[in-house]
Amino acid sequence: MDIRIELTKSPKAKPTDESNLGFGHIFTDHMFIMDYETGKGWHDARIVPYGPLDLMPSAMCLHYAQEVFEGLKAYRTANDEIQLFRPEENFKRLNVSNQRLVIPEIDPEFCVEALNKLVNIEKDWVPHTDGASLYIRPFIIACDPFLGVRPADTYKFIIILSPSGAYYSTGLNPVSIYVEQNYVRAVQGGMGFTKTGGNYAASLAGQDEAHKQNYSQVLWLDGIEKKYVEEVGSMNIFFIIDGELVTPELQGSILSGITRKSVIELAKSWGLKVSERRIAIQEVADAYDAGKLDEVFGTGTAAVISPVGTLKWGDKVMTINDNKIGPVSQRIYDTMTGMQYGKLEDKFGWIYKVTDK
Ligand code: COI
């Protein structure tokens, strides 16, 4: 499919203070769009000026949340090359979400090509500062103007770009996490493994409660017994217990994070013992009491590697590694960001270089 390009006649001023970008507030000059219609497939791929969508108030996505999304980043290297991290993984995962929400699949190879074109047009928007990047948000919405509940016949696939700094204002300083015991995020058979807006809407009440208690994020437990650790609001979670890296196994209600998967591959390549298994919150508390809870960190595209300094479960408040980033978390952070920003060799074939092709 050809991609039509219409460039803006009124480019916006780019941010001058890159230390103050925040996350997800600023958007670039252009976006990618393609449409879908039953019988016609995906068509009319185009890069056009960023702006409001032509969408009816009755559009199905606004009522029944038939929507999926992804998140990845473009990084600037010291030689001014622009790099993406495993972009094909994001589009493959988008198709996993599509299947669950009965949204037509996209062609991951074509989407990587479209993203390459869009990022190349917007390359001057990729921040120059270490730790800042161009956050990329692909998403698909159901567009039929109809109030009945069924899969839609028309969709839009859109990619927007946002120059961003750290997701947490604390940066690499440890975050405080509150273990939610009342609300649940997802259950097996539900949509927890997909990236769909509804999962994040379901997380807001718990997040609100956590904020009221001065915690920045929620750690979700399983939806049935509320015993087993699942994930944090915007990240997967890892524990280092007695030297072993442990993360909850993917059993249907947890997002299959691309950073999660990369951290596991990286840690194994260093010879660390890594287990993907069911982990009870009680086991975490017992390890803490026994002095064996060495480090805790979250992983995500937006959050990168985010050390956890405090974990509150009921009345128990656990302070991890003196509320400082631990040596393994730091090594993983340095290696992942080193590859992403082109400072370290990519031994895994994870880096995709943006070109003007
Ligand atoms: C990401 O890490 O890219 C996400 O999509 C999480 C989002 C809540 C910011």
Side-chain angles (χ1 to χ4, degrees):
M1 196 184 341
D2 286 341
I3 301 176
R4 175 167 63 81
I5 297 178
E6 179 197 333
L7 296 181
T8 181
K9 293 190 177 60
S10 43
K12 293 177 281 201
K14 298 185 179 58
T16 45
D17 181 6
E18 289 193 351
S19 63
N20 221 355
L21 292 171
F23 177 83
H25 297 287
I26 304 164
F27 298 94
T28 68
D29 286 321
H30 300 91
M31 59 185 176
F32 173 84
I33 308 192
M34 64 179 173
D35 298 308
Y36 180 92
E37 201 181 311
T38 300
K40 205 168 166 188
W42 288 109
H43 61 279
D44 197 11
R46 58 215 186 262
I47 291 172
V48 291
Y50 176 88
L53 297 175
D54 180 13
L55 198 69
M56 287 297 176
S58 50
M60 290 174 79
C61 61
L62 301 177
H63 302 272
Y64 306 122
Q66 200 192 4
E67 181 271 352
V68 291
F69 72 96
E70 271 300 324
L72 65 161
K73 287 174 172 172
Y75 311 84
R76 184 182 294 280
T77 70
N79 333 327
D80 264 342
E81 286 182 310
I82 308 298
Q83 309 198 138
L84 308 176
F85 186 75
R86 310 187 84 174
E88 67 292 345
E89 294 288 333
N90 289 88
F91 294 115
K92 284 189 205 154
R93 188 174 63 182
L94 191 62
N95 273 341
V96 172
S97 302
N98 284 340
Q99 282 164 12
R100 178 64 179 83
L101 279 105
V102 200
I103 293 175
E105 290 187 31
I106 45 91
D107 172 359
E109 217 176 296
F110 173 73
C111 290
V112 172
E113 185 193 320
L115 178 60
N116 177 83
K117 271 199 169 41
L118 178 65
V119 173
N120 187 52
I121 288 174
E122 301 290 62
K123 58 176 178 282
D124 291 346
W125 284 90
V126 181
H128 298 74
T129 314
D130 239 18
S133 57
L134 187 68
Y135 185 76
I136 300 166
R137 172 52 59 84
F139 62 106
I140 303 179
I141 51 174
C143 298
D144 297 17
F146 177 57
L147 295 184
V149 179
R150 59 151 173 78
D153 282 317
T154 56
Y155 298 86
K156 282 187 194 302
F157 170 97
I158 303 172
I159 307 176
I160 55 175
L161 308 175
S162 174
S164 293
Y167 185 69
Y168 297 117
S169 52
T170 50
L172 241 198
N173 293 322
V175 291
S176 57
I177 295 214
Y178 162 98
V179 181
E180 176 56 55
Q181 299 188 94
N182 184 21
Y183 302 109
V184 299
R185 173 187 171 273
V187 289
Q188 283 174 38
M191 302 201 298
F193 64 99
T194 69
K195 242 175 142 49
T196 185
N199 286 335
Y200 295 80
S203 75
L204 295 178
Q207 188 178 305
D208 199 39
E209 184 53 40
H211 286 173
K212 283 187 187 136
Q213 296 194 31
N214 274 330
Y215 285 81
S216 64
Q217 286 276 311
V218 171
L219 175 61
W220 297 101
L221 299 180
D222 73 278
I224 310 284
E225 295 181 77
K226 295 189 192 145
K227 263 168 86 173
Y228 299 100
V229 172
E230 298 232 312
E231 65 176 72
V232 178
S234 55
M235 347 184 252
N236 293 111
I237 188 91
F238 285 78
F239 303 91
I240 304 181
I241 299 177
D242 206 12
E244 180 186 2
L245 196 55
V246 185
T247 192
E249 66 193 342
L250 302 175
Q251 33 53 312
S253 57
I254 297 174
L255 185 78
S256 168
I258 293 158
T259 313
R260 173 190 181 279
K261 170 172 165 171
S262 308
V263 165
I264 291 172
E265 288 174 49
L266 191 60
K268 284 186 176 164
S269 79
W270 291 339
L272 294 183
K273 185 163 180 228
V274 184
S275 303
E276 294 176 73
R277 63 170 169 85
R278 208 154 76 144
I279 171 164
I281 188 68
Q282 184 66 56
E283 179 187 340
V284 174
D286 291 346
Y288 178 78
D289 289 341
K292 292 183 173 172
L293 184 60
D294 307 334
E295 299 181 38
V296 181
F297 60 92
T299 62
T301 297
V304 196
I305 304 297
S306 186
V308 177
T310 314
L311 195 55
K312 180 178 190 285
W313 179 39
D315 294 334
K316 191 174 182 69
V317 177
M318 298 171 251
T319 304
I320 295 123
N321 196 46
D322 281 336
N323 202 22
K324 292 202 272 305
I325 184 166
V328 178
S329 316
Q330 183 75 57
R331 183 178 180 202
I332 293 172
Y333 175 86
D334 290 345
T335 310
M336 293 284 288
T337 57
M339 281 189 271
Q340 290 164 341
Y341 287 90
K343 292 179 196 159
L344 292 181
E345 187 197 343
D346 165 28
K347 293 186 186 138
F348 298 87
W350 289 341
I351 296 300
Y352 175 100
K353 286 190 190 298
V354 172
T355 63
D356 54 11
K357 69 176 184 277

